[in-house]
Amino acid sequence: EGLSVPRGAEISDRVDSANNITVVMTAPDALEVADYLRRTLPTLGFTITGDAQNSLIFEGGGWQGAFTASKGYAALTLRTDR
């Protein structure tokens, strides 16, 4: 249960509302974050439903998530209808 980001992640921005959480990370490298999520999401009970161009879409436990990577940044969003 839950979601994790790589150890040492540096969060530069975040939005935390009742049913939507978004974090923007500046470290580690965005591609490293993508690889980390590919490895760990399934072990945390999430199903990756889309994986292309360093972007992921996933769901599990009543949450829908999205990840995208660009030069120097990585953004991760989780939302729920609960």
Side-chain angles (χ1 to χ4, degrees):
E1 292 184 26
L3 181 79
S4 69
V5 295
R7 181 170 287 163
E10 294 179 18
I11 297 174
S12 63
D13 292 293
R14 73 177 192 185
V15 175
D16 188 356
S17 61
N19 64 346
N20 188 354
I21 301 164
T22 300
V23 294
V24 177
M25 294 171 269
T26 56
D29 177 77
L31 297 180
E32 290 179 45
V33 178
D35 288 340
Y36 174 87
L37 292 173
R38 284 184 187 103
R39 288 189 316 271
T40 60
L41 285 171
T43 66
L44 296 172
F46 291 93
T47 300
I48 297 173
T49 59
D51 185 349
Q53 300 176 345
N54 298 315
S55 294
L56 303 170
I57 298 172
F58 55 94
E59 58 187 26
W63 292 89
Q64 298 85 43
F67 169 82
T68 190
S70 66
K71 187 175 181 178
Y73 296 96
L76 179 65
T77 298
L78 288 172
R79 68 175 175 236
T80 186
D81 292 331
R82 294 188 242 180

